[in-house]
Each structure stands twice: as structure tokens, then as C-alpha cells.
Amino acid sequence: MSTDETDGETYTHRPGSIDNEQSDEDPFTEPEPSGFGAQGWVLVAAVVICFLVIPGVIYLFPAAPTQLGWTFFATFLVLPLIPAVLLGVIAVWSMTAAT
């Protein structure tokens, strides 16, 4: 506690009180959670696609990129970039849409 004496009066700071005003709202309450929303579910779908679907397709069909004319080296450089870019774009979109 801090006290400050000015003109014979003593000031004592009490957290939660605002200049002797009575407020109906409790300053320590948190807002009600509203859930994921549309942006959250899109982000969850992107995570599932990037961590389960795309690696699963690569695992089940490893020769598919070579049938498209890609070399082995280019395939393993480019394929991880696709989910990374997708997750980055959707994460930025969901954060800007949430604010």
C-alpha cells in the first residue's frame, strides 16, 4: 500500500475502487468465450489437410510427382512448401479476420 499526504489528507490506494464511484460491473470478470468461429474451423481444417492428408498422399503415392515430370530433389523441396504456405496464409487471414 502506498500513502501520500497532501493538505492533511491521507490517500490509500485500494485496487478495484475508482474514485469512490460504485460500478455495477466487476472489473475482474472475463468475457464469455465464443468458441472457434468460422476462422478457427478453417484453420483446423487446414492443419488436418497439411499434417494428415498431404503427407498421407505422399506416403501412399510416392511415384506421383515423378509422373508429373518432377525430379526427386525438386519434389522433396517443393512439397513441404505447399502446406507451409497454406498454413501461413490461413493463419494470417484468421488473425486479421478475428480482430
Side-chain angles (χ1 to χ4, degrees):
M1 261 194 261
S2 65
T3 59
D4 183 21
E5 292 187 29
T6 55
D7 297 331
E9 295 180 14
T10 302
Y11 169 74
T12 303
H13 175 73
R14 291 185 178 85
S17 63
I18 304 171
D19 295 328
N20 297 329
E21 289 182 17
Q22 296 296 329
S23 176
D24 292 338
E25 287 187 26
D26 185 13
F28 301 108
T29 59
E30 293 188 21
E32 291 293 321
S34 60
F36 275 143
Q39 294 86 10
W41 287 113
V42 169
L43 188 57
V44 168
V47 167
V48 168
I49 290 170
C50 291
F51 286 108
L52 296 177
V53 174
I54 292 176
V57 168
I58 293 171
Y59 179 74
L60 294 174
F61 305 107
T66 57
Q67 292 173 354
L68 296 174
W70 294 2
T71 65
F72 180 81
F73 187 69
T75 300
F76 285 95
L77 281 178
V78 172
L79 286 180
L81 287 176
I82 295 169
V85 169
L86 179 68
L87 280 175
V89 168
I90 290 178
V92 169
W93 169 76
S94 67
M95 288 305 297
T96 56
T99 58

